[in-house]
C-alpha cells in the first residue's frame, strides 16, 4: 500500500468538513481561511511510544491523547480550534490499528468541529506529531505573561489524577477500588482539553497555561514570563476523591498534584476585579475551578503553604517532568 | 538540560523576526496574523533517519532538507512561505549537533524570510517533522487539479540528479568526475525549493505539483485529480550534464529522471494562451524551465515517447518511491 492509498482509505473524507477549508487532504498543502479580525494560533506536539504513552496503549487512546494535548495548548491561549495536520510514523501498515486510530480521529474532529486537513505517513518508530491550528481575536489572547501581583491563581478540574493513572498502569501504584482505578487510568489516557474554559477566560484571565509537565514546573513559566512570585496553598489543591481516598498519605496525593504531568487542566490568574465575571462565566457552563493561591511581588519566588505553614518539597520532587 | 532550556538556547531569538508574528516560541502556542485577503497554506512533512536521509548525514544537511521539502510543498501551491513549526525527536542532547542544526535553520529562515514560531523537542529516534505555513490569494492558488486537454507540461530545473546523488552516497553509482559527483550529491542533500517559480506561476499555470516521489508517480497525481491523460516526450527531459555525461546509457539517465524521487522541482501545466506570459515571467527571473509534454484527453492514460516512438519502462521502474 502506498502513502497515497493509505491516506485516501483511512483519513480523507472521514474528517468533519469545515466551510473554511478550501483545500483539505490531497494536494501538496492545505488551504484554509482564517476569519477576519482573528489571529492564527498554531501549536505542535509529538507523542512517542514508550516516552509519552506506554507500549500496548490502544490506537484509540493514542489518537485521543495526541489530539487532546494539542487542543489543550490552543485552549491555554483562549483559542477556538479549527484544523489539524497529522504526521504518523509507524513501523508497518496495520489495518486494524489504522481503522481504530482513524475512527477516533474522526470522532474527535466531529466533537470539536475541527477538520484534519493534511499530514504525512512515514515508516519509523510509532510516533505522532500533530499541528493544531485555531484562532482568537488579538485582544483576547491568553498568554503566560500578564500575571500581576495580587492576582488570584486558579486551576480547572482536579490535579494529579493522570500521574496516578500512569503509575497504576506501570504497576507502581495499587488501588483496589475498581471504579477509582478506572477513573484515574482514564484521566491519564483521555485527558479532556479545556477548550471551552479557555474561550470563557478571554479578557478575564491575566495569564494562562495548560498543565502538562506538573503544577510546580508549569506555574514557574507563569512567574518567569510575568516576572512575579507565586504563593500556592497546597491544602486548597483540588484532589479527586479517587486519588485522595486511595493513596497512603496526603503527602503522596500532594506529590501527584504538584509534580506529575499530563493533567492538561488550565492554570490561570485572575485580577480581583475580574473574579465575579470569571465565576459567573465558568459557573454558567458548569466548569469546575478552584482558587489555589495568589500571585506575589517577589519575582521568581515560589512559596508553598500547607494550612498556612511553609511546606517543603524535596528538590527532586520539585523537578517535574524532564524531556531529556 | 530540560526542554525549555534547550529551546531557549538553540532556537529562540535565533530565528528571523517577522512583523506578523505576535507571539513566537515560548508560550503554549504561537500567534500570527495572516494578511487580509490571503488564504493560509499549511503543509507537514516528516524526515526520518535511514528512511529520508542516510545515517551520518550532517546536522546542517538534515536541517536544510527538512526546510526545503516543506517550502517546496508551499511553492507548489503558489504560496509565499511565512512560519515554521519544528518537532525534533533525537536520542540524546548533542550540543555540537544542535548548534550546527539550529545555525542552518536560522540561516534558511533569514534567506527565505520565514520565522520559526514553535515546536517540540522529544526523546526518540532521529526524526524531524516540520509544519510550514504561508499564504496565497484565493484566486491565485495552484492546485494539482485544473490541467486541461492540450495544456503544455513543464518542469523547472533538471531531473534525476538527486536520485543519482543518493546512489553515489550509497555506493551504487560510481562517477569519477569529482565536480559532477559533488554536484549530484549536493542536489540530493540540498534541493532548492522553487519558491520564486511557484509565486511567478500564479494565474498562469493550470495545475502544479512538486516532484518528490519521481516524475511518473507525481505526474499521475496531476492526471488523476485533473481527470486527463499525460503525454511525455522523454527526449525533452532536462538532464544535467553531470548526470547525462556520467551514467552508462541514456536509459539509465532516463530511469533517474523519471522515477527517482527527491528532485523537488515543480511540474506545471500551462494553457497555450498563457505560454508567452509564463516565458516572460520565468525568463525575467532567470528561472530554468523545459517543456516535456502535453496534457491529453485520454483520462488516466500515460504515453511515453522517445524521439516520437513509444517507450517502454518496466512496471517496476514506473513504480517510483514507496513510503511503506
Amino acid at each position: 500500500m502506498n502513502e497515497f492509498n493509505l491516506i485516501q482509505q483511512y483519513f480523507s473524507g472521514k474528517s468533519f468538513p469545515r466551510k473554511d477549508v478550501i483545500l483539505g487532504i490531497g494536494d501538496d498543502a492545505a488551504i484554509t481561511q482564517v476569519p477576519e479580525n482573528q489571529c492564527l494560533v498554531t501549536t505542535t506536539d509529538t507523542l512517542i511510544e514508550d516516552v509519552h504513552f506506554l507500549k500496548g496503549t490502544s490506537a484509540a487512546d493514542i489518537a485521543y491523547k495526541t489530539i487532546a494535548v494539542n487542543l489543550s495548548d490552543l485552549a491555554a491561549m483562549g483559542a477556538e480550534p479549527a484544523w489539524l495536520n497529522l504526521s504518523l510514523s509507524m513501523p508497518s501498515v496495520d489495518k486494524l490499528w489504522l481503522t481504530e486510530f482513524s475512527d477516533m480521529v474522526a470522532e474527535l474532529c466531529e466533537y470539536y468541529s475541527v477538520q484534519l486537513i493534511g499530514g504525512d505517513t512515514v515508516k519509523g518508530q510509532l510516533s505522532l506529531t500533530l499541528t493544531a491550528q485555531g484562532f482568537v481575536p488579538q485582544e483576547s489572547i491568553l498568554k503566560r505573561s500578564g500575571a500581576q501581583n495580587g492576582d488570584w491563581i486558579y486551576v480547572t478540574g482536579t490535579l494529579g489524577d493522570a500521574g496516578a493513572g500512569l503509575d497504576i498502569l506501570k504497576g507502581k501504584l495499587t488501588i483496589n477500588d475498581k471504579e477509582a482505578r478506572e477513573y484515574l487510568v482514564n484521566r491519564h489516557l483521555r485527558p479532556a482539553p479545556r477548550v471551552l474554559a479557555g474561550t470563557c477566560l478571554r479578557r478575564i484571565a491575566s495569564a494562562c497555561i495548560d498543565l502538562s509537565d506538573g503544577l510546580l514546573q508549569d506555574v514557574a513559566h507563569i512567574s518567569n514570563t510575568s516576572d512575579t512570585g507565586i504563593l500556592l496553598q497546597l491544602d486548597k489543591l483540588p484532589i479527586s476523591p479517587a486519588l485522595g481516598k486511595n493513596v497512603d498519605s496526603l503527602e503522596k496525593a500532594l506529590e501527584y498534584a504538584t509534580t506529575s504531568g499530563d493533567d492538561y487542566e488550565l492554570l490561570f490568574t485572575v485580577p480581583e476585579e475580574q473574579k465575579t465575571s470569571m465565576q459567573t462565566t465558568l459557573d454558567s457552563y458548569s466548569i469546575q475551578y478552584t482558587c489555589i493561591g495568589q500571585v506575589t511581588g517577589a519575582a521568581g519566588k515560589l512559596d508553598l503553604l500547607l494550612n498556612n505553614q511553609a511546606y517543603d518539597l524535596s528538590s527532586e520532587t520539585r523537578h517535574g517532568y524532564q524531556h531529556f
Side-chain angles (χ1 to χ4, degrees), chain A residues 124-198:
Chain A
Q125 78 177 134
L126 186 57
S127 157
L128 307 99
T129 299
L130 192 74
T131 299
Q133 297 168 310
F135 24 83
V136 63
Q138 184 163 359
E139 52 289 355
S140 302
I141 299 169
L142 302 177
K143 302 181 189 179
R144 292 179 179 181
S145 60
Q148 299 279 339
N149 185 8
D151 288 355
W152 301 100
I153 302 173
Y154 291 84
V155 287
T156 57
T158 56
L159 302 180
D161 298 333
L166 178 61
D167 276 358
I168 291 169
L169 288 177
K170 281 178 163 175
K172 285 185 181 176
L173 176 67
T174 308
I175 288 185
N176 294 321
D177 180 339
K178 184 167 173 276
E179 211 174 302
R181 198 170 59 231
E182 286 176 355
Y183 167 84
L184 295 171
V185 167
N186 194 55
R187 288 273 287 161
H188 164 71
L189 293 175
R190 303 205 173 182
R194 300 300 180 193
V195 173
L196 184 59

Side-chain angles (χ1 to χ4, degrees), chain A residues 47-48 52 55 89 92 97 160 176 198-199 274 280 299:
Chain A
L47 279 76
I48 297 188
H52 303 92
K55 226 183 177 86
S89 159
S92 62
W97 192 96
N176 294 321
T199 52
Q274 292 287 357
T280 308

Side-chain angles (χ1 to χ4, degrees), chain A residues 3-224:
Chain A
E3 187 198 23
F4 183 73
N5 295 338
L6 198 155
I7 292 171
Q8 278 286 108
Q9 185 174 342
Y10 293 101
F11 295 101
S12 306
K14 242 178 163 179
S15 182
F16 178 82
R18 286 178 62 101
K19 287 193 177 150
D20 51 16
V21 176
I22 296 172
L23 207 56
I25 294 172
D27 212 302
D28 289 298
I31 314 254
T32 55
Q33 270 179 317
V34 175
E36 251 184 87
N37 303 318
Q38 302 241 11
C39 293
L40 174 67
V41 187
T42 309
T43 185
T44 296
D45 263 310
T46 296
L47 279 76
I48 297 188
E49 187 177 53
D50 270 346
V51 181
H52 303 92
F53 54 88
L54 300 174
K55 226 183 177 86
T57 304
S58 78
D61 287 335
I62 294 170
Y64 191 101
K65 190 150 188 178
T66 303
I67 292 178
V69 304
N70 277 281
L71 295 190
S72 178
D73 279 325
L74 294 186
M77 310 303 292
E80 183 186 332
W83 313 301
L84 305 179
N85 264 272
L86 173 72
S87 174
L88 173 57
S89 159
M90 49 193 177
S92 62
V93 174
D94 176 337
K95 293 182 177 188
L96 268 177
W97 192 96
L98 274 165
T99 302
E100 189 186 329
F101 180 87
S102 59
D103 281 350
M104 178 55 81
V105 170
E107 188 180 325
L108 289 181
C109 281
E110 192 178 347
Y111 184 80
Y112 290 104
S113 302
V114 299
Q115 183 172 343
L116 183 69
I117 56 169
D120 198 9
T121 55
V122 293
K123 194 182 166 97
Q125 78 177 134
L126 186 57
S127 157
L128 307 99
T129 299
L130 192 74
T131 299
Q133 297 168 310
F135 24 83
V136 63
Q138 184 163 359
E139 52 289 355
S140 302
I141 299 169
L142 302 177
K143 302 181 189 179
R144 292 179 179 181
S145 60
Q148 299 279 339
N149 185 8
D151 288 355
W152 301 100
I153 302 173
Y154 291 84
V155 287
T156 57
T158 56
L159 302 180
D161 298 333
L166 178 61
D167 276 358
I168 291 169
L169 288 177
K170 281 178 163 175
K172 285 185 181 176
L173 176 67
T174 308
I175 288 185
N176 294 321
D177 180 339
K178 184 167 173 276
E179 211 174 302
R181 198 170 59 231
E182 286 176 355
Y183 167 84
L184 295 171
V185 167
N186 194 55
R187 288 273 287 161
H188 164 71
L189 293 175
R190 303 205 173 182
R194 300 300 180 193
V195 173
L196 184 59
T199 52
C200 284
L201 292 169
R202 289 178 176 183
R203 304 193 189 211
I204 287 174
S206 52
C208 187
I209 190 171
D210 76 324
L211 297 176
S212 54
D213 293 340
L215 173 66
L216 296 186
Q217 194 167 315
D218 289 323
V219 83
H221 291 308
I222 295 274
S223 61
N224 288 337

Side-chain angles (χ1 to χ4, degrees), chain A residues 294-313:
Chain A
Q294 202 166 11
V295 178
T296 71
K301 196 153 177 280
L302 175 64
D303 291 303
L304 301 179
L305 299 183
L306 184 69
N307 304 319
N308 297 318
Q309 303 282 314
Y311 186 82
D312 207 22
L313 278 174

